[in-house]
Amino acid sequence: EMIITKYNNKSSWQKIDCRGKILWNFEDHKSGEKQTLFCYGSLYLDDKDKWINLQNLSIQNANDKNYMLYWENSKGKIYSDTMLLRYDYIDDKPQVNYISLKGNVIIVGNPFSKKHLNKAEDNRYAIADQAEYIREDEKLYLLSEVDKVYYYDPLKKIQISASAIEISWQEDGKEI
């Protein structure tokens, strides 16, 4: 099921409401990098307020990664039960500037990095109940409601367990 509301009969959309198996392939406007959103559930896009909400409704297969909601690019993959993306238009192209993840959050590799490290070479991962990514700050916030947050980076030999973790990829304006 898909409902699309268009802007004044133009070719772009104002709202999209989808339910079922959703696969959306798109490109980052700056890098041209291919990205994928996948969900067995619902997707609601509101272009007027510039946000996309995805929710995984596959309760039976909640822990099976083949059925989990995910966002993927060439540098990593994010799984969660729900995902809220906020975006702005830059040069008439959408750019995600905020991501909120809730429930069974798993981050593999580093999909937020500007450096290109192939995800096959990148064994970093994080597990949390919630996560927030703020593009302007270039920071990822990992939070736990019950258990601990886990972060593992074998490249830098870092292994952390805590109730909350803040990860920054900038140090003196340079990516680390």
Side-chain angles (χ1 to χ4, degrees):
E1 176 185 343
M2 184 169 177
I3 301 167
I4 299 176
T5 308
K6 292 188 176 184
Y7 284 129
N8 302 322
N9 296 322
K10 292 183 180 177
S11 61
S12 63
W13 51 76
Q14 181 178 12
K15 294 184 181 185
I16 298 176
D17 189 357
C18 303
R19 294 199 182 356
K21 183 178 177 181
I22 300 159
L23 180 64
W24 188 359
N25 295 302
F26 57 98
E27 290 183 5
D28 181 274
H29 94 281
K30 283 186 174 180
S31 66
E33 179 176 30
K34 292 181 185 341
Q35 303 191 39
T36 300
L37 278 171
F38 174 83
C39 180
Y40 269 107
S42 65
L43 175 145
Y44 186 78
L45 178 144
D46 184 331
D47 197 53
K48 181 181 176 202
D49 292 328
K50 298 179 185 77
W51 59 270
I52 301 170
N53 188 43
L54 295 109
Q55 185 168 356
N56 188 26
L57 300 177
S58 182
I59 305 299
Q60 292 175 318
N61 302 305
N63 295 322
D64 184 341
K65 286 186 181 178
N66 294 317
Y67 292 92
M68 290 178 75
L69 160 64
Y70 70 80
W71 172 55
E72 178 179 36
N73 62 24
S74 66
K75 295 171 280 192
K77 195 170 192 176
I78 300 169
Y79 298 93
S80 69
D81 293 337
T82 65
M83 183 181 299
L84 173 69
L85 298 107
R86 294 198 177 275
Y87 61 92
D88 282 315
Y89 282 97
I90 298 175
D91 299 327
D92 294 327
K93 295 182 182 179
Q95 176 179 303
V96 174
N97 55 33
Y98 173 83
I99 301 173
S100 173
L101 308 160
K102 291 186 180 176
N104 297 310
V105 177
I106 302 169
I107 301 172
V108 180
N110 184 359
F112 308 112
S113 177
K114 290 179 186 171
K115 286 184 180 178
H116 190 78
L117 183 62
N118 187 300
K119 66 183 170 192
E121 302 166 353
D122 192 346
N123 295 321
R124 290 178 278 190
Y125 70 87
I127 301 171
D129 293 325
Q130 296 180 39
E132 285 188 345
Y133 171 70
I134 302 170
R135 188 178 192 134
E136 184 177 58
D137 298 342
E138 297 195 32
K139 290 184 181 179
L140 174 66
Y141 301 93
L142 301 166
L143 308 163
S144 176
E145 295 172 356
V146 180
D147 278 333
K148 300 282 186 188
V149 171
Y150 298 99
Y151 177 75
Y152 175 65
D153 184 341
L155 300 172
K156 294 189 172 74
K157 297 182 176 143
I158 299 171
Q159 191 169 346
I160 301 170
S161 172
S163 59
I165 298 172
E166 176 184 309
I167 301 169
S168 176
W169 289 280
Q170 293 291 317
E171 187 174 279
D172 300 326
K174 295 181 182 176
E175 185 158 351
I176 56 173

